Amino acid sequence: MKAFTGTSQYVASSELMTAVNIAVTLQKPLLIKGEPGTGKTMLAQAVSDALGKQLIIWNVKSTTKAQDGLYVYDVVQRLYDSQFGNEGVDNIAKYIKLGKLGEAFRSEEQVVLLIDEIDKADLEFPNDLLWELDQMEFYIPETRETVRAKQRPIVIITSNAEKELPDAFLRRCVFHYIEFPNQEQMEQIVRVHFGELDKKLVQQALTAFYWVRELRGLEKKPSTSELVDWLRALVAGGVDPDCIKRDIPFAGVLLKKDKDLRTLAQNKR
């Protein structure tokens, strides 16, 4: 299998590329942490594109259980069918629907499986997946069937560090923390989104952006997505690059909290 070296649409540091390739080689899940806007979720798409593999996404919510990723037994539909005399009620397999992890296991080809924002679920969620991620199989008691991975998927797990993950889970992962891009890296990312853009505008906007991020007391620092939106606003508004740092026009695109806007206003005086 070829190594991951990033894509034309995803700027990856050498450290991140190394982490991806080590995880693939060791056949271990890659756990990615980092503040919002550092490209954690987009990494899975980039790996999928670079390696030519299907991407399966399991979006984790606060109500998500590990079982949801394995399979769901639709008891209600079976009861409904039995009441109306529909055929095939005795075929329980008909009412078993595989979850995202089950789909990855059943795939004939190796896939990339993204388990996105694992820390949104309860604390037992990671522990409940230990066996499945280790052994790459799970048992369906209703049909007495064991579902084994035909091809071990490349598993990428993201976390916003909202909760501490269990040690037993962490031991089974390759870990990488994506640092927020420096100004030089961010300029590369901006070029991916915009291509040709006035160089002076980009430089002045980046200088102002990083100055805003360093303001003391911000509750929510602007991320890459806010920067991209802000650049679009600056271009659409025909803003003079020379006044960007002084005025921070369209500040509401960068900052999303009243307190942060007040902090900005106080520092501009």
Side-chain angles (χ1 to χ4, degrees):
M1 182 188 299
K2 65 180 181 180
F4 174 68
T5 56
T7 71
S8 61
Q9 297 299 310
Y10 188 89
V11 179
S13 67
S14 59
E15 294 82 7
L16 177 55
M17 290 187 285
T18 298
V20 170
N21 292 319
I22 288 175
V24 172
T25 300
L26 298 180
Q27 297 186 323
K28 288 181 174 291
L30 174 62
L31 175 61
I32 297 291
K33 286 189 178 182
E35 68 175 90
T38 50
K40 299 186 298 298
T41 299
M42 292 175 61
L43 172 65
Q45 183 66 64
V47 172
S48 169
D49 292 342
L51 303 183
K53 298 183 182 299
Q54 178 191 355
L55 174 63
I56 295 177
I57 302 175
W58 183 7
N59 289 306
V60 177
K61 302 177 182 179
S62 59
T63 56
T64 301
K65 303 297 181 185
Q67 178 69 32
D68 300 336
L70 307 181
Y71 75 95
V72 175
Y73 173 31
D74 195 344
V75 180
V76 175
Q77 184 62 49
R78 189 182 182 208
L79 178 61
Y80 177 87
D81 288 348
S82 66
Q83 289 175 337
F84 288 88
N86 293 341
E87 295 182 1
V89 175
D90 293 335
N91 181 15
I92 297 179
K94 175 182 174 182
Y95 302 97
I96 299 293
K97 181 180 179 181
L98 293 178
K100 297 299 183 180
L101 193 59
E103 289 178 22
F105 285 4
R106 274 281 168 83
S107 175
E108 296 291 341
E109 304 290 335
Q110 186 182 47
V111 302
V112 176
L113 172 66
L114 170 63
I115 304 177
D116 200 24
E117 298 189 321
I118 194 172
D119 51 330
K120 279 189 175 180
D122 63 42
L123 292 175
E124 290 306 311
F125 180 85
N127 281 333
D128 290 343
L129 288 177
L130 290 180
W131 170 266
E132 288 76 16
L133 292 178
D134 256 354
Q135 303 300 317
M136 287 288 150
E137 66 177 41
F138 62 89
Y139 183 65
I140 302 177
E142 289 84 358
T143 58
R144 300 180 182 179
E145 174 191 13
T146 297
V147 177
R148 293 186 177 89
K150 296 181 179 181
Q151 299 286 340
R152 193 178 187 98
I154 298 170
V155 181
I156 297 176
I157 303 170
T158 69
S159 169
N160 286 323
E162 293 180 5
K163 299 174 186 172
E164 286 297 324
L165 298 173
D167 288 345
F169 182 80
L170 294 175
R171 282 196 298 270
R172 289 164 169 81
C173 298
V174 172
F175 174 77
H176 182 77
Y177 185 90
I178 300 181
E179 298 286 349
F180 196 83
N182 61 33
Q183 191 161 331
E184 182 180 348
Q185 292 171 320
M186 188 62 82
E187 185 168 355
Q188 291 180 274
I189 294 171
V190 166
R191 294 299 177 190
V192 167
H193 285 275
F194 290 95
E196 292 300 321
L197 197 60
D198 181 73
K199 188 171 183 179
K200 186 174 183 180
L201 174 70
V202 172
Q203 291 177 338
Q204 294 291 345
L206 287 175
T207 299
F209 173 76
Y210 280 93
W211 175 79
V212 170
R213 277 184 57 87
E214 293 303 315
L215 290 177
R216 295 185 62 181
L218 285 187
E219 291 186 355
K220 183 186 182 304
K221 293 182 179 182
S223 67
T224 306
S225 61
E226 276 97 19
L227 172 61
V228 170
D229 288 342
W230 190 46
L231 281 166
R232 289 196 178 105
L234 293 175
V235 171
V239 174
D240 181 355
D242 289 326
C243 74
I244 290 176
K245 175 66 165 61
R246 182 184 70 246
D247 300 333
I248 314 291
F250 314 123
V253 179
L254 282 178
L255 302 173
K256 306 301 173 67
K257 296 197 173 187
D258 292 345
K259 179 179 178 295
D260 291 345
L261 288 170
R262 288 195 297 271
T263 297
L264 174 62
Q266 290 166 0
N267 280 272
K268 283 166 57 179
R269 292 172 186 168

